[in-house]
Amino acid sequence: MDLVGACRAFVSVSERGSFTVGAAAARMSQSVASRRVAALEERFGEQLFERTSRRAVLTPFGREMLPVARQLVQAADVLLHEAEAAKRKPWRLAVPGICSTAGLARLVAEARGHGITLDLRVAAPAQRLELIHAQQVRAALLAVPADEATWSVPLGLAGVQDPGVRRVYLETLRVGRAAPGPARRIWIQPEDDVPHIRDPLTRLRDAVGLRPAQLVAATDLTAAAAEVLCTRDLLLCSPAQAAELALKWRPIGEITLGRGFALAAAADGNPQPIEGRLGGAIARCLGADTRADTEEGTEA
């Protein structure tokens, strides 16, 4: 039995003294109101109304039950109101700065279609973790190693010139003492300046004999991209970022690198409502649905 629905019918009929008028006020048919009140009377084992041809008059037992039934209905209404307010409450979500404005806008728009209001906070990897710990956001897309990731984004090297090969090997950036011009550098943007990406790349740099200064952590993506656009330097980035900057992207020959992302909620919350309904939209926003198998050219 729907106890709240039955009590709602009971309260509405008692307040108006009529099953017809009370049912209409409770937005139900007279037959439904009658069945619900009858079910309540059967459950209590006592009559709530003395029914006449024109009016529904409370019995002494009905008068005793009415205040409690009214409290139950009011509590249910408050609960429903709070549930609707909670659904409308924005999900403050910390996202990486690699997402384009168009990608973020599409994510917000798709979330609205699922009844979710997103309030996005763009932040670097360490800042997103801090926002979660400080509970300044409800959830965050954290940078994690590939084996912990829900979404993965391939990383490679991109430059202005077409390298003419399918993969770029770091060892080809090694320069001798008599080599003309400055050594070509690899720029790491803030999103990738994390141990599980930076450290393997640093070890590879040392293993193939590059100079320490050939691997540079940029303060922001704009600064790094500017250096790459006006020199022969390379940017560590995703295929989507390379396309946006009109750069030629290739995977790294000696190592496979990728960004990993996982959704975490603050205060042991549950990120499943977001992940379950917006997983595809998040993937597209991150560029995780980009495939790195469209490189042109031939193997070096």
Side-chain angles (χ1 to χ4, degrees), residues 89-93 116-120 138-139 265 270-271 273-274:
K89 183 180 178 181
W91 266 84
R92 181 167 291 178
L93 176 66
I116 300 171
T117 301
L118 290 181
D119 177 12
L120 302 181
R138 293 182 68 183
N270 182 14
I274 295 292

Side-chain angles (χ1 to χ4, degrees), residues 217-291:
T219 55
D220 57 71
L221 175 57
T222 301
E227 289 290 338
V228 172
L229 288 169
C230 64
T231 67
R232 297 177 63 245
D233 289 352
L234 299 170
L235 176 68
L236 182 70
C237 65
S238 68
Q241 287 182 303
E244 184 179 357
L245 295 166
L247 300 175
K248 307 299 182 182
W249 186 93
R250 298 292 184 270
I252 301 172
E254 297 100 336
I255 192 173
T256 299
L257 290 178
R259 295 181 186 128
F261 296 98
L263 189 65
D268 297 324
N270 182 14
Q272 289 303 316
I274 295 292
E275 188 172 318
R277 283 179 277 183
L278 297 179
I282 292 172
R284 289 187 290 274
C285 185
L286 294 172
D289 56 343
T290 300
R291 295 292 177 261

